[in-house]
C-alpha cells in the first residue's frame, strides 16, 4: 500500500473512532435507537465463559432474534461484526472471533484465509490457499471442533484449511488460555464452531454452489454445501436433527523461478575477470494440483426436560490431492566458460548476467503425488442445568488416516547447451535463463535418469472423555466455581518406504520410457520475463496408468515400496487432566472488576516403539527398541477485566501454555552407521574430541514439551453494537522449540555416537502490540445509503528473538535471532459496503519481511574450522494481498456472489544474504494463483 493510501486509511479510522453512533441499521432500511452499554449487546455463550463443557451444544453465535415484539433482524456483514464483537467483549479470556455472515458464508473462501484478518494472526500462502497459522508469533496452535480436540493422522493438530468455510459458523481465536480449555497449544487455541439444530427456530434448508476459475492453471473447480435442519416438539421432549455436507475443489498452479543458495566466484580460467560472485544454479518449478475436500457432519439434540439436554454428533473430513510437480535444474558449475559478463552497477563484485558454456547438463523430474486423508469424529454427551448448578459430560472417538504416494521420473538433457542467464530480471527481479539452439519442448533432447517411489501411511486414533461442573455462586466476591477432569487415550503409527532406481545405461532416451510425454502448462501469467515457460515432462495421468510397466522398465520390485523399519513407529499416549477455576468480581466505586483464577494439571504417559538399524561393512540388522516417558505439567491462569465505564474495559492476564513434541520427533529409532576407521575431530559445545566414533540419525524420546509464559494487557472501547477500538500489548517467553542438531552421546552398546537428531532449543521471546478498529458509518443525519459503509482495520507488531539449534547457536556466537516465520508488521484494511440488496468488500492483508528458514553455508570446510562457517537466513520480502467480494440479493432467500482472490497477482519474493557485507541474491520468485469465483447461495 502506498503512503497516500496508508494516510487515507489512518484518517478514516481516526475519524470514525471519534464518532459515537446513536443508531443501528435494520434490514428494512429503517433505524432504531440503541443504548450503548453491556446490557444491550448480544451476549453469546462461549467455551471459556458460561458453559462448563466446551464440547456441549451452544446457542448460535449469530442467528438474529425473530421478528416481532419490536426486535430488529440484522443480517450479513453487520451481523457478523456484531456477533464477533460480542464474543470478544463478553468472554472471560482474550478472544477474537470471525462469525459467518450467513449460513455457509464465512467472509473468505477458506477458513484459514478468514483467520488472516484477525489482529495478531499471520498465515503463509501457496497451493491455492492459506496455511501455517501463527498467533502473536507462536506456532503450534491447538485446534478444537465444538470444543473437542481434533487432529490429522499422527499429528497433534488439524490444519485450519481442512475445515470447509461453508460448514463453519465461527472461528474463535483464544489468545490467552483458561483452565477449562484443552491444553496443547503454546500459541493459543482455535475453536471451530459448527452448527447444531437448536441454532435455528425450526425447519431450515440452505446451501451454495459456485465455480472458481484459476488463472494460471486455466482450470475450473466447483464448491458447494447443503444444510438441512429441523426441530420438533414430541411427547418425550424437543428434538432436533441437522445434516450438513460440503465440497471444496482446488485446481491451482504455482510458478517458481529460483536460484541456488551456493554462491560461486569467477576465475580467470573461466575466461573472465576473477572475484565476481553469482549463484551457481538456477531452477524452474511448477507445482500444481487438483485437490478436493469432501466434508459432512450431523448433529442431534434432545431436551427431554427443560433442565436436561442430550446430544450426539459426527464429523467427516476428507482431503484428496492429485498433484503434478515439474522441475528443471540448470547448473552454472563444472568446467564452465563465461562470456558477455555484466556486473551489477551498484555492486561491481556481483554478476547481473552472463553467458555460460561447458556447464554440467541440466536435469529435472516429473512428479506425480497422490494424497488422501480421512478423518472421522463421533461423540455425544449431556448437559444438566438446575438453578445455579450445571453438570456436563462428553465422550468422543476420533480416527484419522493419511496416505501419501509419490512417483518421480528423473531426466537429464541429452547435451549441455549454451545458456544466457540473468540473476536480476524484470520488475520482480530474480533469475531468468534461456538456451541457445536447444528446444526444451522436443522429447529427443531429454534422457532418462532414474525412477523414485515413496509411500507414507500415517494414522491416529483417540478416545477422549471429560466431565465438568459449574456453580454460579451469586453476586458476591466469588461469582462462579468450575472444576473438571479429562482423559485422553491416543494411538499413532507411521510407515514409510522408498525405492530409487538409478541403474540405467547412459543415453537411454526419455521417449523410450513407457509413459506419455507432454509440454508443461505455461505458468508465470503475471510476468513474462522468463523465456522458458514450458518444457517436456511425463504426463501425471500416464505415470499412474503405467506403474507396473515403469517398475519393470527400471528394474524396481513389483508393487509399492516396502516399508523401512527405521522409518516406522507405533506410539501410545495417555493424558489425565484435572482443573479448578473460580470467577471473582467486585466493585471499586463506579469501576467493576472481575476475572478468573485457575490451574490445569496434566499427567502425560507416552510409549513409542521402533527399530534401530545397525550397519557394518557387510551387513545390516534391525533391533527393536521401546522408550517410555511420563511427566506432569501445571498450567496456571490469572486474569482481570476492569470495567472503567459502560464502553471501556481493561484486561490483564497471565497464563502458561505448552505443546507436546510430535510423535515423529519422539521416535526412538536410530540408523547407526559403520564404525569410522579414522580419528576425525568432532567439534561440539563441549570442545573438540578426537577418537573413534560412529554417526547416527533418528528421533529423540527425551524431548521435553514446548512451554510458554504469556503476559497480556488490552484496552477495549466499544462505542456501538458493531463499533470498537481496541489495543493490546503482549509478551511470550517460550522455551524448548525443536531443531535438528548434532549431539555426542555415549551408548552402552555402540560406544561414542554422533547423532543427528531433534533437540530442544533454549529460550525465545515474542513481544509486541496490536490495535484494531471496526465500525459502520452509523451517524445521525447521514442518509440511509451512506450508513452502509464500514471499515475494519488492524495492525500487529511482533518482535521475536530466540535460540536456534545448539550447532547454529555456536556458529552465531550464541546470538539470538528473529524466529522463523514471524513478520514484525502485519496489518489488514477492509472496506465494507452493505445494503439489503447489495454488499461489497475490499480486503487488503499485508505482512512484512520475515525469515523463511535458517541454513548453514560452507559445509565443506574442515569441521575444526568453525569460524569459516556461517548461519544465514533466507528471507521472504513483505507482501500485500488484495481480495474483493460482492453480493447481490434479488430476493430475500437467494444471493448471487462474486469474488476475486489475489487481485494484484504480485509474487512471493525470497532472498538470501551471501556475505558479511550484506549483499543478497534473489532466492525464489513465486507466482501464486489468482482466482475468480461466481456462485449462488440460498436459504429457505
Amino acid at each position: 500500500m502506498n503512503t497516500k493510501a496508508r494516510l487515507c486509511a489512518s484518517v478514516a479510522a481516526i475519524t470514525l473512532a471519534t464518532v459515537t453512533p446513536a443508531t443501528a441499521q435494520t434490514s428494512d432500511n429503517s433505524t432504531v435507537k440503541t443504548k450503548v452499554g453491556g446490557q444491550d449487546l448480544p451476549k453469546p455463550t462461549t467455551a471459556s465463559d458460561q458453559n462448563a463443557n466446551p464440547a456441549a451444544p451452544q446457542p448460535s453465535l449469530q442467528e438474529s432474534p425473530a421478528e416481532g415484539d419490536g426486535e430488529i433482524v440484522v443480517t450479513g456483514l453487520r451481523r457478523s461484526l456484531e456477533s464477533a464483537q460480542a464474543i470478544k467483549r463478553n468472554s472471560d479470556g482474550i478472544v477474537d472471533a470471525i462469525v459467518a455472515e450467513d449460513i455457509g458464508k464465512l467472509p473468505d473462501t477458506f477458513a484459514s484465509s478468514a483467520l488472516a484478518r484477525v489482529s495478531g494472526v499471520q498465515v503463509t500462502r501457496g497451493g491455492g490457499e492459506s496455511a501455517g497459522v501463527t498467533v502473536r508469533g507462536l506456532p503450534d496452535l491447538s485446534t478444537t471442533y465444538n470444543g473437542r480436540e481434533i487432529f490429522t493422522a499422527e499429528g497433534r493438530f488439524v490444519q485450519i484449511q481442512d475445515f470447509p468455510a461453508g460448514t463453519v459458523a465461527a472461528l474463535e481465536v483464544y489468545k490467552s488460555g483458561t483452565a477449562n480449555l484443552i491444553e496443547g497449544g503454546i500459541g493459543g487455541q482455535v475453536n471451530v464452531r459448527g452448527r447444531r439444530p437448536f441454532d435455528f427456530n425450526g425447519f431450515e434448508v440452505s446451501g451454495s454452489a459456485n465455480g472458481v476459475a484459476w488463472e494460471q492453471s486455466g482450470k475450473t473447480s466447483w464448491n458447494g454445501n447443503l444444510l438441512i435442519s429441523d426441530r420438533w416438539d414430541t411427547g418425550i421432549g424437543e428434538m432436533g436433527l441437522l445434516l450438513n455436507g460440503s465440497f471444496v475443489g482446488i485446481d491451482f498452479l504455482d510458478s517458481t523461478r529460483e536460484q541456488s543458495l551456493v554462491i560461486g566466484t569467477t576465475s580467470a580460467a573461466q575466461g573472465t575477470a576473477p572475484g565476481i560472485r553469482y549463484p551457481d544454479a538456477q531452477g524452474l518449478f511448477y507445482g500444481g494440483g487438483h485437490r478436493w475436500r469432501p466434508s459432512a457432519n450431523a448433529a442431534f439434540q434432545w431436551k427431554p426436560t427443560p433442565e436436561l439436554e442430550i446430544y450426539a454428533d459426527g464429523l467427516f473430513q476428507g482431503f484428496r490431492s492429485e498433484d503434478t510437480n515439474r522441475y528443471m535444474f540448470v547448473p552454472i558449475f563444472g568446467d564452465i566458460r563465461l562470456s558477455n559478463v555484466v556486473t551489477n552497477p551498484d555492486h561491481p563484485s556481483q554478476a547481473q548476467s552472463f553467458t555460460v558454456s561447458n556447464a554440467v547438463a541440466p536435469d529435472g523430474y516429473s512428479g506425480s503425488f497422490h494424497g488422501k486423508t480421512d478423518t472421522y469424529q463421533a461423540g455425544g454427551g449431556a448437559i444438566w442445568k438446575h438453578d445455579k448448578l450445571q453438570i456436563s459430560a462428553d465422550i468422543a472417538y476420533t480416527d484419522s488416516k493419511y496416505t501419501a504416494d509419490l512417483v518421480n521420473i528423473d531426466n537429464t538433457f541429452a547435451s549441455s547447451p549454451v545458456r544466457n542467464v540473468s540473476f536480476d530480471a524484470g520488475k520482480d527481479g530474480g533469475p531468468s535463463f534461456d538456451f541457445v539452439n536447444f528446444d526444451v519442448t522436443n522429447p529427443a533432447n531429454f534422457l532418462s535418469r532414474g525412477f523414485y517411489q515413496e509411500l507414507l501411511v500415517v494414522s491416529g486414533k483417540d478416545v477422549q472423555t471429560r466431565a465438568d461442573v459449574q456453580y454460579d455462586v451469586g453476586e458476591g466476591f466469588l461469582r462462579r466455581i468450575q472444576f473438571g477432569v479429562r482423559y485422553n487415550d491416543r494411538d499413532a503409527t507411521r510407515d514409510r518406504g522408498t525405492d530409487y532406481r538409478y541403474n540405467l545405461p547412459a543415453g537411454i532416451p526419455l521417449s523410450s520410457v513407457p509413459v506419455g510425454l507432454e509440454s508443461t502448462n505455461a505458468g508465470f501469467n503475471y510476468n513474462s520475463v522468463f523465456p522458458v515457460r514450458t518444457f517436456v515432462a511425463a504426463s501425471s495421468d500416464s505415470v499412474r496408468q503405467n506403474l507396473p510397466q515403469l517398475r519393470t522398465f527400471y528394474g524396481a520390485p513389483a508393487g509399492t515400496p516396502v516399508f523401512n523399519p527405521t522409518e516406522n513407529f507405533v506410539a501410545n499416549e495417555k493424558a489425565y487432566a484435572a482443573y479448578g477455576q473460580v470467577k471473582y468480581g467486585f466493585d471499586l466505586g463506579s469501576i467493576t472488576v472481575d476475572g478468573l483464577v485457575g490451574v490445569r494439571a496434566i499427567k502425560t504417559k507416552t510409549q513409542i516403539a521402533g527399530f534401530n538399524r545397525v550397519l557394518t561393512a557387510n551387513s545390516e540388522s534391525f533391533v527393536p527398541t521401546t522408550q517410555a516417558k511420563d511427566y506432569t505439567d501445571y498450567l496456571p491462569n490469572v486474569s482481570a477485566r476492569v470495567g472503567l465505564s459502560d464502553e471501556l474495559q481493561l484486561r490483564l492476564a497471565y497464563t502458561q501454555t505448552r505443546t507436546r513434541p510430535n510423535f515423529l520427533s519422539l521416535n526412538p529409532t536410530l540408523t547407526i552407521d559403520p564404525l569410522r576407521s579414522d580419528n576425525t575431530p568432532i567439534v561440539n559445545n563441549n570442545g573438540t574430541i578426537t577418537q573413534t566414533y560412529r554417526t547416527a540419525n533418528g528421533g529423540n524420546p527425551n524431548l521435553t514439551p514446548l512451554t510458554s509464559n504469556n503476559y497480556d494487557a488490552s484496552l477495549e472501547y466499544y462505542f456501538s453494537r458493531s463499533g470498537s477500538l481496541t489495543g493490546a500489548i503482549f509478551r511470550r517467553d517460550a522455551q524448548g522449540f525443536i531443531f535438528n542438531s548434532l549431539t555426542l552421546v555415549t551408548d552402552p552398546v555402540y560406544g561414542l555416537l554422533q547423532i543427528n537428531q531433534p533437540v530442544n532449543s533454549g529460550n525465545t521471546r515474542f513481544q509486541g502490540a496490536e490495535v484494531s478498529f471496526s465500525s459502520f458509518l452509523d451517524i445521525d443525519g447521514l442518509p440511509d445509503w451512506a450508513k452502509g459503509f464500514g471499515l475494519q482495520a488492524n495492525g500487529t507488531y511482533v518482535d521475536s528473538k530466540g535460540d536456534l539449534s545448539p550447532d547454529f547457536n555456536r556458529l552465531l556466537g550464541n546470538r539470538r535471532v528473529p524466529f522463523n516465520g514471524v513478520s514484525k508488521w502485519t496489518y489488514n484494511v477492509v472496506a465494507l459496503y452493505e445494503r439489503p440488496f447489495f454488499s461489497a468488500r475490499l480486503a487488503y492483508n499485508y505482512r512484512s519481511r520475515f525469515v523463511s528458514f535458517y541454513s548453514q553455508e560452507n559445509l565443506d570446510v574442515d569441521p575444526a574450522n568453525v569460524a569459516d562457517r556461517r548461519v544465514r537466513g533466507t528471507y521472504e520480502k513483505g507482501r500485500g494481498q488484495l481480495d474483493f467480494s460482492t453480493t447481490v440479493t434479488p430476493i430475500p432467500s437467494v444471493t448471487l456472489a462474486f469474488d476475486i482472490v489475489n487481485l494484484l497477482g504480485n509474487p512471493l519474493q525470497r532472498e538470501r544474504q551471501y556475505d558479511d557485507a550484506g549483499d543478497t541474491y534473489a532466492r525464489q520468485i513465486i507466482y501464486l494463483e489468482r482466482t475468480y469465483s461466481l456462485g449462488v447461495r440460498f436459504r429457505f
Side-chain angles (χ1 to χ4, degrees):
M1 181 179 288
N2 59 35
T3 303
K4 183 178 179 181
R6 289 177 180 170
L7 179 60
C8 291
S10 300
V11 171
I14 293 171
T15 302
L16 290 176
T18 60
V19 176
T20 303
T23 60
Q25 190 66 38
T26 70
S27 60
D28 60 358
N29 297 331
S30 63
T31 57
V32 61
K33 293 286 184 178
T34 62
K35 289 176 62 178
V36 179
Q39 61 269 38
D40 278 353
L41 289 170
K43 187 175 174 63
T45 303
T46 67
S48 68
D49 194 3
Q50 278 70 37
N51 202 304
N53 179 3
Q58 310 284 328
S60 170
L61 290 175
Q62 98 300 344
E63 292 305 313
S64 302
E67 294 187 68
D69 300 327
E71 292 183 317
I72 301 301
V73 178
V74 182
T75 61
L77 297 169
R78 183 186 295 270
R79 183 177 65 180
S80 170
L81 294 182
E82 288 184 7
S83 298
Q85 178 169 299
I87 292 172
K88 180 181 179 71
R89 180 174 188 175
N90 295 303
S91 174
D92 286 328
I94 298 176
V95 179
D96 277 294
I98 296 175
V99 177
E101 302 166 24
D102 205 340
I103 301 175
K105 180 53 181 173
L106 274 180
D108 290 88
T109 306
F110 300 104
S112 51
S113 297
L115 279 181
R117 315 293 179 199
V118 175
S119 63
V121 174
Q122 297 176 359
V123 301
T124 57
R125 301 183 189 273
E129 56 192 2
S130 303
V133 178
T134 64
V135 175
R136 292 179 170 176
L138 284 167
D140 299 314
L141 303 174
S142 65
T143 44
T144 56
Y145 179 69
N146 288 331
R148 291 195 190 110
E149 185 178 16
I150 190 168
F151 52 84
T152 298
E154 94 292 18
R156 294 291 186 186
F157 315 121
V158 67
Q159 297 294 328
I160 299 300
Q161 65 268 26
D162 284 344
F163 290 97
T167 65
V168 175
L171 299 167
E172 301 167 339
V173 182
Y174 292 88
K175 299 178 180 179
S176 69
T178 54
N180 60 316
L181 292 180
I182 298 173
E183 74 286 347
I186 60 169
Q189 185 174 110
V190 176
N191 183 47
V192 179
R193 292 284 299 273
R195 296 185 181 276
R196 283 174 163 144
F198 285 1
D199 288 354
F200 309 106
N201 292 325
F203 181 71
E204 189 83 31
V205 175
S206 67
S208 67
N210 65 296
V212 182
W214 301 79
E215 186 167 333
Q216 290 204 115
S217 73
K219 297 181 179 179
T220 301
S221 64
W222 302 95
N223 302 333
N225 71 281
L226 178 66
L227 177 145
I228 302 174
S229 180
D230 203 357
R231 56 195 296 180
W232 310 271
D233 288 320
T234 72
I236 54 173
E238 186 176 15
M239 295 183 180
L241 179 65
L242 178 146
L243 302 174
N244 191 14
S246 175
F247 180 91
V248 175
I250 299 173
D251 269 293
F252 73 95
L253 175 65
D254 290 345
S255 310
T256 302
R257 43 196 179 97
E258 64 181 28
Q259 300 186 127
S260 171
L261 294 174
V262 179
I263 304 299
T265 306
T266 61
S267 66
Q270 296 169 348
T272 187
I276 302 173
R277 308 301 302 277
Y278 62 92
D280 77 347
Q282 296 183 324
L284 166 61
F285 179 74
Y286 285 149
H290 170 55
R291 300 177 178 178
W292 63 102
R293 288 187 169 92
S295 176
N297 66 285
F300 170 77
Q301 289 177 278
W302 174 33
K303 293 194 73 171
T305 72
E307 294 181 330
L308 176 64
E309 182 171 326
I310 299 170
Y311 60 90
D313 52 57
L315 170 70
F316 163 72
Q317 283 184 332
F319 171 75
R320 309 289 187 267
S321 69
E322 295 176 355
D323 291 1
T324 301
N325 302 315
R326 275 81 180 266
Y327 185 58
M328 180 186 293
F329 176 74
V330 183
I332 313 176
F333 53 78
D335 188 17
I336 63 173
R337 299 293 183 268
L338 304 179
S339 60
N340 303 320
V341 177
V342 177
T343 59
N344 187 325
D346 298 324
H347 299 277
S349 65
Q350 188 178 80
Q352 185 161 295
S353 64
F354 50 58
T355 300
V356 186
S357 59
N358 209 41
V360 172
D363 58 45
Y365 63 81
S366 302
S368 173
F369 175 85
H370 284 189
K372 178 182 178 180
T373 301
D374 287 320
T375 299
Y376 302 88
Q377 186 174 82
I383 179 169
W384 180 73
K385 297 179 181 179
H386 178 73
D387 194 19
K388 299 179 180 182
L389 177 65
Q390 175 176 303
I391 301 175
S392 60
D394 185 85
I395 185 169
Y397 172 76
T398 308
D399 188 332
S400 181
K401 182 178 181 180
Y402 172 66
T403 301
D405 182 356
L406 172 65
V407 178
N408 279 359
I409 295 179
D410 294 352
N411 62 69
T412 185
F413 283 18
S415 62
S416 180
V418 175
R419 65 210 63 159
N420 297 312
V421 300
S422 175
F423 304 104
D424 188 15
K427 69 181 182 67
D428 296 324
S432 174
F433 59 81
D434 196 8
F435 301 108
V436 178
N437 298 324
F438 191 91
D439 184 1
V440 294
T441 64
N442 184 354
N445 286 326
F446 291 81
L447 304 176
S448 175
R449 189 169 60 94
F451 178 64
Y452 176 78
Q453 301 175 85
E454 178 181 344
L455 179 64
L456 173 68
V457 180
V458 287
S459 63
K461 299 178 181 180
D462 88 335
V463 174
Q464 52 183 299
T465 183
R466 62 184 298 163
D468 302 82
V469 178
Q470 175 178 300
Y471 184 75
D472 294 317
V473 177
E475 294 300 320
F477 177 79
L478 186 61
R479 305 284 176 86
R480 187 174 71 222
I481 301 173
Q482 291 175 276
F483 58 89
V485 294
R486 180 176 184 270
Y487 170 73
N488 179 264
D489 189 344
R490 173 77 190 276
D491 293 320
T493 63
R494 181 179 192 267
D495 290 292
R496 180 174 179 266
T498 63
D499 184 86
Y500 186 56
R501 300 291 154 163
Y502 186 68
N503 58 355
L504 289 176
I508 290 184
L510 186 62
S511 57
S512 67
V513 178
V515 68
L517 301 178
E518 63 184 12
S519 291
T520 62
N521 191 3
F524 305 105
N525 282 25
Y526 324 129
N527 188 323
S528 59
V529 69
F530 210 160
V532 179
R533 297 181 62 194
T534 184
F535 54 93
V536 169
S539 161
S540 181
D541 289 341
S542 70
V543 168
R544 293 292 166 179
Q545 294 164 4
N546 294 284
L547 276 175
Q549 295 89 334
L550 285 167
R551 290 172 179 135
T552 300
F553 181 83
Y554 284 99
T560 57
V562 176
F563 291 136
N564 180 353
T566 62
E567 300 274 5
N568 311 337
F569 64 76
V570 176
N572 176 261
E573 183 176 84
K574 294 179 174 63
Y576 310 81
Y579 74 89
Q581 182 170 261
V582 298
K583 182 172 184 177
Y584 66 89
F586 56 90
D587 295 332
L588 292 174
S590 62
I591 297 175
T592 63
V593 181
D594 63 13
L596 298 176
V597 177
V599 64
R600 187 177 185 90
I602 314 101
K603 184 176 182 61
T604 303
K605 294 183 176 181
T606 303
Q607 180 171 290
I608 305 183
F611 290 89
N612 289 338
R613 180 188 183 210
V614 182
L615 298 175
T616 65
N618 301 309
S619 67
E620 67 176 0
S621 59
F622 298 95
V623 181
T625 180
T626 300
Q627 295 284 344
K629 188 174 183 178
D630 65 87
Y631 51 90
T632 302
D633 296 303
Y634 299 94
L635 306 177
N637 64 284
V638 181
S639 65
R641 178 174 56 177
V642 183
L644 302 173
S645 68
D646 286 344
E647 300 86 11
L648 185 66
Q649 66 183 23
L650 170 70
R651 291 183 186 269
L652 302 170
Y654 166 75
T655 60
Q656 285 187 0
T657 51
R658 72 103 169 89
T659 297
R660 300 179 182 98
N662 289 324
F663 291 111
L664 180 59
S665 298
L666 292 169
N667 184 6
T669 294
L670 285 176
T671 296
I672 302 170
D673 297 321
L675 184 69
R676 293 183 61 114
S677 60
D678 60 347
N679 290 326
T680 303
I682 306 170
V683 180
N684 74 344
N685 293 329
N686 300 320
T688 300
I689 301 174
T690 304
Q691 57 181 287
T692 301
Y693 68 97
R694 284 183 167 185
T695 60
N697 62 82
N700 184 357
N702 296 314
L703 291 172
T704 59
L706 292 66
T707 60
S708 180
N709 294 310
N710 312 310
Y711 309 87
D712 297 277
S714 65
L715 189 62
E716 304 165 2
Y717 175 51
Y718 300 97
F719 50 83
S720 75
R721 292 172 65 94
S722 62
S724 64
L725 176 63
T726 65
I729 57 176
F730 56 86
R731 176 166 175 149
R732 305 286 186 262
D733 290 328
Q735 305 86 33
F737 284 109
I738 296 172
F739 297 87
N740 262 52
S741 183
L742 295 176
T743 305
L744 282 173
V745 300
T746 300
D747 185 90
V749 177
Y750 306 110
L752 187 64
L753 294 177
Q754 181 178 260
I755 304 177
N756 183 0
Q757 65 179 170
V759 297
N760 290 107
S761 70
N763 301 317
T764 305
R765 182 209 66 208
F766 305 84
Q767 60 185 14
E770 298 174 6
V771 63
S772 181
F773 171 82
S774 177
S775 181
F776 276 87
L777 203 61
D778 294 327
I779 303 175
D780 282 337
L782 286 180
D784 284 346
W785 65 266
K787 295 176 182 178
F789 286 103
L791 178 68
Q792 290 178 280
N794 61 62
T796 305
Y797 170 78
V798 182
D799 177 53
S800 65
K801 289 289 189 301
D803 295 322
L804 300 178
S805 70
D807 290 346
F808 282 13
N809 288 340
R810 184 177 69 252
L811 296 175
L812 289 166
N814 293 317
R815 173 173 53 89
R816 292 184 173 179
V817 294
F819 194 73
N820 299 16
V822 178
S823 296
K824 277 197 171 183
W825 296 97
T826 308
Y827 67 83
N828 292 278
V829 179
V830 183
L832 310 169
Y833 186 75
E834 183 174 50
R835 304 299 294 157
F837 175 75
F838 172 80
S839 72
R841 177 174 176 265
L842 194 63
Y844 184 79
N845 170 259
Y846 176 83
R847 62 177 302 186
S848 66
R849 181 175 184 259
F850 64 92
V851 181
S852 296
F853 62 89
Y854 289 96
S855 58
Q856 191 176 156
E857 62 183 32
N858 297 337
L859 295 177
D860 56 345
V861 302
D862 185 338
N865 297 327
V866 294
D868 292 337
R869 297 190 181 190
R870 295 288 186 274
V871 173
R872 302 196 194 280
T874 295
Y875 287 82
E876 186 169 308
K877 293 183 178 181
R879 177 183 180 272
Q881 178 159 314
L882 184 65
D883 301 329
F884 171 77
S885 62
T886 186
T887 65
V888 176
T889 307
I891 59 176
S893 57
V894 177
T895 297
L896 304 177
F898 175 68
D899 302 273
I900 305 176
V901 176
N902 191 19
L903 191 62
L904 302 177
N906 49 327
L908 302 179
Q909 297 174 284
R910 294 172 181 156
E911 63 182 8
R912 171 66 175 246
Q913 178 184 334
Y914 65 86
D915 61 20
D916 292 338
D919 295 320
T920 62
Y921 269 115
R923 164 59 178 159
Q924 289 176 319
I925 311 295
I926 306 173
Y927 297 86
L928 306 178
E929 277 285 7
R930 178 160 51 208
T931 63
Y932 306 86
S933 173
L934 179 64
V936 60
R937 298 199 306 271
F938 59 88
R939 180 179 184 185
F940 301 101

